[in-house]
Amino acid sequence: MKGPLFYSKILLFGEYGIIKDSKGLSIPYNFYNGALKVSENPTEEAIQSNKSLKRFADYLETINPELVTFDIEALKKDVEEGMYFDSSIPQGYGVGSSGALVAAIYYNYAQDKITVLENLTREKLLQLKTIFSEMESFFHGKSSGLDPLNSYLSIPILINSKDNIEATGIPSQKPDGKGAVFLLDSGIVGETAPMISIFMENMKQEGFRSMLKDQFIKHTDACVDDFLKGDVKSLFQNTKQLSKVVLSHFKPMIPKQFHGLWKKGLETNDYYLKLCGSGGGGYILGFTEDIEKAKLALSEYKLEVVYNF
């Protein structure tokens, strides 16, 4: 194995909004991880990953050297020897599979890299985010750079605005708490690029833009503040509003078969659903004040608890 494990992440709040300067809160999710490896008998998956790394290495040569340089020779040599990214992070699920890969490549091959051990000033965080955004664009066409940043640092990150991000602490979990944030497996792989295209197309409409500012961003920012303060009562009120706004205005990002389930949560208050990443499939994030009730209401689905209140 080359270098450490890099973990998946969950953007608790801020999907789509952070493109337009809402707040956001991203936390590492240690359930999934990945690392660079070389194997004597590679599987079909390893062979595909190796091919993708070949193309990625070529792409990294085209990045502005004033931003970041890599030991491309060493990287290409390792790729030639069959190196691949061995990952348990599901792809297209909104938990940062390409982010962990980008973090691993930066960690192992970037020259003059910013390390986790130094004093992480806002400038350094922004510089890392810019580098990662360039690197991850290879996979998504347009990337904020947040997923790799989260994976690389393995600490919660608070996004105040595009140019203002900071490492943050989140309230300690209550292991026996009834309230929970959970992941619901939609069973469908989501594609980021088409979802972003739909969003950008919608942004051309005046009505959509004002909804984003007056409702979506307002509730997103409130959710982030509530979560960090540990104000659970207010958090659930704001999450419910956010869930409503998403159901009304982000329908294409919610797989059709989940529209009813989404609505049911809002009617019964057993749980509230929201997008996890760009949507279109993958995981859906759920918030509940009573995890047993939510499990009962969603008994046909696989739930993974991420955080307990």
Side-chain angles (χ1 to χ4, degrees), residues 176-182 232 236 268-272 286-298 303 305 307-309:
D176 50 353
K178 275 170 76 171
V181 182
F182 61 86
V232 177
F236 280 101
T268 60
N269 296 315
D270 286 347
Y271 58 87
Y272 305 127
F287 286 73
T288 179
E289 292 185 77
D290 186 336
I291 188 64
E292 292 313 318
K293 257 190 193 165
K295 278 180 178 164
L296 210 59
L298 300 164
L303 305 189
V305 173
Y307 186 95
N308 283 99
F309 296 105

Side-chain angles (χ1 to χ4, degrees), residues 36 70 85 121 145 151 167 223 247-248 256 262 286 292:
L36 293 166
F70 298 92
F85 190 58
T121 59
S151 192
C223 284
L247 185 59
S248 303
K256 275 204 178 59
W262 205 283
E292 292 313 318

